[in-house]
Amino acid sequence: MQLPAEAVTTTALLEVVRISALPTRQGDPYPGRAGAQWIGSEAAGALALIESLPGSEQHRCGFSPGWSVRAYADMLDPVLFEAAFCFSCHEVRRHGTAVPPAQATQFFDADSPHARALLALFRAAAP
């Protein structure tokens, strides 16, 4: 999976969010409770895991994401990018100051070992 290269190199903190609803407007953050905050090697490891997700074809479920990550630089505002993951339709939707329009939507193999490992990390970070 392709992540914005500049954002990956400048990310200092990743925040895990358990999504409770869809945003009311495009580009707004996904509502939900923030769980873990990963810094240093934890953040780098999670980003590497996300980047290693193999691609997939689109599955239809209506996009019902359960988890997102928000990437921040040293300053905690604005969000470099937020990536919301739907493990049912294998879709990731991203937005933020570092996301080019061509990278706003991607598809991943939710049944792959890397995706299962990512889901396990999300579940362990649940508030």
Side-chain angles (χ1 to χ4, degrees), residues 13-93:
L13 176 126
L14 276 181
E15 180 177 55
V16 180
V17 176
R18 181 69 168 122
I19 297 173
S20 59
L22 292 176
T24 55
R25 293 182 307 183
Q26 186 174 352
D28 281 354
Y30 284 83
R33 292 186 76 181
Q37 293 184 341
W38 298 327
I39 59 172
S41 62
E42 279 186 310
L47 289 171
L49 187 56
I50 292 167
E51 286 183 308
S52 73
L53 293 174
S56 176
E57 305 231 345
Q58 181 178 13
H59 294 72
R60 302 240 181 235
C61 85
F63 191 67
S64 182
W67 304 94
S68 78
V69 292
R70 294 180 185 143
Y72 297 91
D74 288 333
M75 302 297 291
L76 294 181
D77 200 30
V79 173
L80 296 170
F81 69 89
E82 180 174 19
F85 295 82
C86 179
F87 285 83
S88 296
C89 67
H90 301 212
E91 185 174 344
V92 177
R93 291 187 186 173

Side-chain angles (χ1 to χ4, degrees), residues 49-50 52-54 67 85 87 90 108-124:
L49 187 56
I50 292 167
S52 73
L53 293 174
W67 304 94
F85 295 82
F87 285 83
H90 301 212
F108 68 101
D109 181 355
D111 297 319
S112 71
H114 291 116
R116 291 175 192 237
L118 182 64
L119 183 56
L121 283 176
F122 289 161
R123 287 179 173 158

